Amino acid sequence: MPAVRRPSKQLSTVVIAGMCWSLLALPGMARADDTLGGDTQGANQEANAGKDGTVSVTVGGVVFDRSKNGTGDSAGALRASTSWTPPPCWYAPKYTPEQLQKTLEPTWEAGSTGYEWDAEQRDRYVNGHPYKDFNKDKTGKGYFWDSYVDEDFPPGWDSCDEDIFWVDQGDPPPANVPNAVTPKILADLAYAEIRVPGTKVTMAPAAATKVNLPTWVWLDAADFKPVSVTASVPVIGITATATAVPQSLRIEPGTKDAVTYPASGVCEINDGRIGEPYAKGKADQTPPCGVRYLRSSGNGTYPLQATVTWKIDWTGSGGAGGNLPDGTFGATQDVVVQEIQAVNR
């Protein structure tokens, strides 16, 4: 569902949610045909692959480069290890003076938003309180900023209710406007776009393991390397990259009748690999990462859960950077555990 900005602060959230499709012409609406300097500024996604394979996707005034993201059918989004969530809404450049005029004037002429609101808007953007004639004298020297909303409408999506405002090129957004796009906001948005590889582990024995036989568990180093997403707003020259680096694997055998290696069930990354592949001659060794089942799964299976923890950091324009909450991504796979069959002679 496309994002909607309220035409007035008096219109309730409930009314907006019910009128989404009838309000498409209102200012503040994030649409795929909102353009600014040739860049799509809308909430809908459009992907364009360059000759180098880089894919840039524009969502809500922000361009995402996902070319270094995890791929594959089993790739998925991270779950933050804390209560952290990405911004539910944000402000970014959307209109040149001419574009804002073309957006607002038809709305005023239609009269669908009411005389009082129309008059207030004319006073704000035409009559010089504070903008005169849509700031046309500043054409090419800045942009009108407006709000964008996460298309999933999470809690707080309607908190960005500031009127459209002007920012001179090169100036920071007003300090009193929360969620005006900055490198940190971009980093948060990039975090939400990270996709990491699936966590199906390799096991030995592979087809079925035996009761009391140590089962080796590992993840292929080639599949588990850092992934990243870059978010940017090209028209104002700010950018941020969020990078996820695998740290550890947690094994949950799916039954209490099992022992993990190490005892904590957490296998740390070592030399770019989590766990160690089994090799001939290691049958009597304790695996650095693995599990030993104490009871047969009978005619069924045990649901082994493998969850990788990823460390997230970010870098951005002007030397900005820092850490974001760790993220986790896991998957379940069925394990057959059989009794060891004794042969009597």
Side-chain angles (χ1 to χ4, degrees), residues 1-342:
M1 181 181 291
V4 178
R5 179 178 179 277
R6 291 178 288 181
S8 73
K9 295 182 181 180
Q10 288 73 37
L11 189 58
S12 70
T13 300
V14 175
V15 173
I16 291 174
M19 297 176 63
C20 284
W21 296 109
S22 64
L23 296 178
L24 292 176
L26 292 181
M29 187 70 182
R31 301 193 305 265
D33 58 353
D34 290 331
T35 58
L36 185 60
D39 294 312
T40 300
Q41 298 298 304
N44 294 339
Q45 299 184 6
E46 294 185 358
N48 296 292
K51 294 181 180 179
D52 61 355
T54 298
V55 178
S56 296
V57 181
T58 302
V59 183
V62 177
V63 176
F64 293 99
D65 179 355
R66 299 185 178 94
S67 62
K68 297 180 181 178
N69 221 348
T71 58
D73 293 339
S74 61
L78 291 168
R79 180 187 297 273
S81 59
T82 68
S83 59
W84 174 93
T85 57
C89 63
W90 59 93
Y91 298 93
K94 185 183 286 188
Y95 304 107
T96 65
E98 182 181 3
Q99 288 171 335
L100 184 60
Q101 180 181 14
K102 289 181 178 180
T103 299
L104 290 181
E105 285 187 340
T107 303
W108 299 339
E109 292 170 1
S112 59
T113 50
Y115 172 79
E116 182 180 353
W117 185 79
D118 291 350
E120 290 176 354
Q121 294 290 292
R122 289 182 187 274
D123 193 52
R124 177 175 175 81
Y125 299 107
V126 180
N127 299 334
H129 302 106
Y131 309 114
K132 180 72 172 177
D133 192 25
F134 296 99
N135 258 16
K136 287 182 180 177
D137 62 327
K138 288 192 172 183
T139 297
K141 299 178 181 179
Y143 299 101
F144 280 104
W145 290 41
D146 198 6
S147 60
Y148 294 89
V149 176
D150 185 316
E151 61 184 10
D152 291 328
F153 286 80
W157 68 268
D158 58 341
S159 59
C160 294
D161 58 4
E162 295 286 340
D163 286 325
I164 299 169
F165 57 91
W166 178 267
V167 178
D168 286 333
Q169 189 77 349
D171 285 355
N176 63 338
V177 179
N179 281 10
V181 72
T182 61
K184 176 57 167 63
I185 293 288
L186 291 178
D188 291 341
L189 294 172
Y191 183 118
E193 297 299 318
I194 288 176
R195 299 295 180 265
V196 296
T199 54
K200 183 176 181 179
V201 296
T202 303
M203 304 178 68
T209 188
K210 306 294 184 181
V211 172
N212 283 319
L213 176 68
T215 301
W216 293 59
V217 173
W218 68 94
L219 289 168
D220 191 335
D223 293 334
F224 280 81
K225 56 186 178 182
V227 298
S228 64
V229 171
T230 297
S232 62
V233 182
V235 295
I236 56 174
I238 63 171
T239 185
T241 298
T243 302
V245 179
Q247 293 294 296
S248 61
L249 168 70
R250 176 179 289 278
I251 299 173
E252 298 173 79
T255 174
K256 293 185 290 185
D257 295 316
V259 175
T260 57
Y261 304 103
S264 64
V266 177
C267 307
E268 302 293 339
I269 192 168
N270 185 25
D271 293 332
R273 175 186 286 119
I274 297 177
E276 180 182 327
Y278 175 78
K280 187 176 180 179
K282 293 183 178 180
D284 295 330
Q285 299 180 21
T286 299
C289 182
V291 60
R292 177 165 59 90
Y293 286 97
L294 308 179
R295 186 186 298 272
S296 165
S297 60
N299 294 325
T301 59
Y302 290 128
L304 182 142
Q305 176 79 22
T307 304
V308 174
T309 295
W310 298 74
K311 179 179 174 59
I312 317 296
D313 59 24
W314 69 277
T315 57
S317 303
N323 297 320
L324 291 167
D326 288 351
T328 60
F329 185 65
T332 300
Q333 57 198 86
D334 295 330
V335 178
V336 176
V337 181
Q338 301 171 337
E339 296 282 0
I340 296 177
Q341 300 298 316

